[in-house]
């Protein structure tokens, strides 16, 4: 059985389908269905596309199935890769055209899919717009916007350090360690039932509990999802708008999205900036195209080109340890992963296999929406990048 032939948990011909467990709906194997049906599982806020025209995505489909590549000492084709990597949606942009577009595991063109931590890069792109307007200052301490954080380990950290995840705040990102900050986040964000009244009930409450600092701010990159939630709160406080409204008005409307997006919210209505965004495959592709075009769409500059250029330059020296397993020459900056300092291709990534890979030098991008059985997998990540590279080289040869 390949990765896309598992039985559907919501078979319309089977009214006796099992009820998904509230505490595990976002875990395998349930996520094969729920990642395309988040609104049936938890509270969300609309990200309106607006009344304007849809950004056209010219299509010139090519047969990429037979393209071969090697990863982990094994040779396979792109078709093998798609079948074996729990693909839900897959789209390739080359020179401004859609050259491949696949819907698998029941996904449909009009259906939204959870982005997980790809959300971070979308939120940061909107932050770049606010920075350019002077609404937010990168060198300013986050406590200027959120003075309540003076009582936390964020005291003294700048907005840029939050963007780069180089604060020294102690945050346990472990998904499986009992009582970890990440497990507390699951309850605080509204995804899981409030079975632990002694744990934070909202994201804001969780942030206020982060009083321990493990190293000086700015010393080292360490992936902490909560940093994006701090960023989202800074954006809301500085602008006076909710995060869903900001993404709509600053990005989704001017970008020419085809469908509304939505984002999950906690019990207080705060949007999950670190992983709650949902959109269609093609609208994720429009986001990628916006980056490929230096932030400009139809002659209108939406995202500052200087912000995008700066985002592609990260500090590799701060990028240590386990992160180099997948990206040995990588870096992290402005909530994007940079592949290497030469080509400076960069990407948005999320657990369970979400990718938006962007290479402006080749005018090439890939969107992959997945439901891996693992939270993270270095082997699958290396394989995905090898597949993207092989498709890119095929497009270059054509």
């Amino acid at each position: 059985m390949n990765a896309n032939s598992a039985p559907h948990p919501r078979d319309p011909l089977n009214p006796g389908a099992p009820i998904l467990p509230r505490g595990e709906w976002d875990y395998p194997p349930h996520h094969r269905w729920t990642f395309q049906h988040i609104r049936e599982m938890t509270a969300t806020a609309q990200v309106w596309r607006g009344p304007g025209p849809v950004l056209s995505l010219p299509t010139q489909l090519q047969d990429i199935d037979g393209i071969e590549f090697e990863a982990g000492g094994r040779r396979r084709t792109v078709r093998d890769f798609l079948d074996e990597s729990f693909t839900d949606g897959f789209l390739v942009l080359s020179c401004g055209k859609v050259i491949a577009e696949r819907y698998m595991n029941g996904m449909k063109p009009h259906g939204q899919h959870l982005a997980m931590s790809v959300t971070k890069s979308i939120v940061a792109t909107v932050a770049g717009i606010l920075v350019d307007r002077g609404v937010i200052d990168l060198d300013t301490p986050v406590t200027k916007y959120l003075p309540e954080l003076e009582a936390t380990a964020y005291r003294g950290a700048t907005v840029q350090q939050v963007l780069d995840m180089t604060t020294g705040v102690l945050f346990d990102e472990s998904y499986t360690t009992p009582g970890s900050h990440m497990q507390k986040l699951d309850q605080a964000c509204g995804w899981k039932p409030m079975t632990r009244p002694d744990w934070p009930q909202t994201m804001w409450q969780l942030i206020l509990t982060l009083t321990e600092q493990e190293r000086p701010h700015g010393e080292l990159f360490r992936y902490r999802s909560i940093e994006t939630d701090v960023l989202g709160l800074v954006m809301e406080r500085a602008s006076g708008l909710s995060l869903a409204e900001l993404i709509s008005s600053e990005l989704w409307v001017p970008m020419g999205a085809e469908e509304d997006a939505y984002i999950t919210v906690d019990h207080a209505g705060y949007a999950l900036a670190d992983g709650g965004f949902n959109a269609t495959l093609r609208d994720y592709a429009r986001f990628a195209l916006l980056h490929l075009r230096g932030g400009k769409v139809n002659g209108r500059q939406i995202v500052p080109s200087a912000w995008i250029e700066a985002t592609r330059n990260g500090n590799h020296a701060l990028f240590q340890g386990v992160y180099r397993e997948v990206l040995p020459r990588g870096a992290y900056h402005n909530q994007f992963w940079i592949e290497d300092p030469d080509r400076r291709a960069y990407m948005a990534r999320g657990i369970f296999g979400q990718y938006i890979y962007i290479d402006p030098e080749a005018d090439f991008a890939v969107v992959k929406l997945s439901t891996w059985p693992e939270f993270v997998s270095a082997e699958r990540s290396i394989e995905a990048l090898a597949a993207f590279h092989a498709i890119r080289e095929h497009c270059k040869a054509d």
Side-chain angles (χ1 to χ4, degrees):
M1 178 184 292
N2 72 39
N4 296 288
S5 60
H8 201 282
R10 283 291 182 272
D11 183 353
L13 300 180
N14 178 18
I19 296 173
L20 299 180
R22 295 304 303 172
E24 301 174 14
W25 64 260
D26 57 327
Y27 288 175
H30 315 298
H31 68 337
R32 293 288 282 161
W33 184 80
T34 57
F35 275 22
Q36 298 178 48
H37 299 87
I38 296 298
R39 276 197 155 147
E40 285 107 302
M41 307 312 300
T42 190
T44 62
Q46 177 192 29
V47 177
W48 186 42
R49 69 157 301 275
V54 173
L55 177 65
S56 173
L57 288 179
T59 299
Q60 191 173 62
L61 297 180
Q62 300 179 20
D63 182 5
I64 64 169
D65 283 2
I67 298 173
E68 294 186 348
F69 67 97
E70 186 172 326
R74 182 179 159 210
R75 193 142 190 96
R76 71 204 76 179
T77 66
V78 167
R79 183 71 227 187
D80 295 334
F81 164 68
L82 295 178
D83 284 341
E84 296 170 5
S85 61
F86 298 84
T87 307
D88 298 330
F90 188 76
L91 190 148
V92 179
L93 284 171
S94 181
C95 299
K97 295 179 180 178
V98 177
I99 67 159
E101 184 174 7
R102 303 287 173 79
Y103 297 91
M104 305 167 75
N105 187 36
M107 189 169 176
K108 296 178 173 59
H110 64 274
Q112 292 101 335
H113 193 286
L114 181 63
M116 297 306 281
S117 289
V118 166
T119 306
K120 294 177 171 70
S121 305
I122 292 170
V123 169
T125 297
V126 176
I129 298 170
L130 299 183
V131 168
D132 184 65
R133 288 204 196 125
V135 177
I136 295 172
D137 184 340
L138 293 176
D139 297 323
T140 295
V142 292
T143 51
K144 173 187 175 182
Y145 305 100
L146 303 170
E148 300 92 333
L149 298 194
E150 283 286 353
T152 74
Y154 281 103
R155 181 177 58 254
T158 66
V159 175
Q160 184 66 69
Q161 288 166 342
V162 168
L163 267 162
D164 292 343
M165 296 194 188
T166 58
T167 76
V169 176
L170 178 64
F171 184 85
D172 183 358
E173 187 82 10
S174 170
Y175 300 99
T176 56
T177 302
S180 70
H181 288 118
M182 204 63 192
Q183 289 203 341
K184 292 177 180 179
L185 189 151
D186 263 352
Q187 176 177 283
C189 76
W191 284 22
K192 301 296 175 66
M194 288 195 289
T195 56
R196 292 290 302 267
D198 55 322
W199 284 4
Q201 307 291 292
T202 67
M203 294 299 293
W204 177 240
Q205 288 179 9
L206 175 60
I207 290 167
L208 293 178
T209 69
L210 303 179
T211 57
E212 296 184 61
Q213 190 170 337
E214 62 183 358
R215 63 174 56 87
H217 298 312
E219 189 175 86
L220 197 66
F221 164 73
R222 183 170 178 180
Y223 193 78
R224 306 171 187 84
S225 286
I226 201 70
E227 309 277 64
T228 321
D229 297 296
V230 173
L231 175 65
L233 285 163
V234 166
M235 292 163 64
E236 290 192 343
R237 193 76 67 89
S239 68
L241 296 173
S242 73
L243 191 60
E245 291 176 292
L246 281 170
I247 298 172
S248 171
S249 62
E250 301 294 348
L251 182 63
W252 227 239
V253 172
M255 182 184 78
E258 187 172 10
E259 303 279 353
D260 288 355
Y262 60 90
I263 191 166
T264 69
V265 295
D266 69 10
H267 302 290
Y270 167 70
L272 185 62
D274 73 69
F277 197 77
N278 298 258
T280 66
L281 180 65
R282 280 195 154 226
D283 281 340
Y284 287 127
R286 289 181 174 91
F287 175 76
L289 184 61
L290 178 65
H291 274 261
L292 287 176
R293 296 292 172 265
K296 186 179 290 188
V297 167
N298 292 333
R300 178 184 176 188
Q301 194 74 44
I302 297 170
V303 182
S305 59
W307 174 267
I308 292 177
E309 180 62 21
T311 294
R312 298 175 63 200
N313 298 302
N315 187 342
H316 177 63
L318 303 182
F319 195 79
Q320 301 284 343
V322 66
Y323 308 109
R324 294 191 178 190
E325 186 175 356
V326 174
L327 299 174
R329 303 182 66 216
Y332 190 88
H333 188 41
N334 289 347
Q335 307 269 307
F336 279 88
W337 301 83
I338 299 128
E339 188 170 17
D340 66 66
D342 300 326
R343 192 180 194 99
R344 298 184 304 137
Y346 60 117
M347 69 193 93
R349 296 164 65 191
I351 61 171
F352 296 117
Q354 323 315 318
Y355 284 93
I356 300 180
Y357 179 88
I358 303 164
D359 185 347
E361 302 305 319
D363 198 1
F364 175 85
V366 177
V367 181
K368 188 178 192 298
L369 306 173
S370 318
T371 32
W372 291 351
E374 310 92 356
F375 288 100
V376 294
S377 168
E379 180 181 327
R380 289 191 190 277
S381 297
I382 292 168
E383 176 190 64
L385 289 175
F388 302 164
H389 295 165
I391 299 168
R392 181 180 66 194
E393 292 308 303
H394 170 81
C395 293
K396 181 179 175 181
D398 285 355

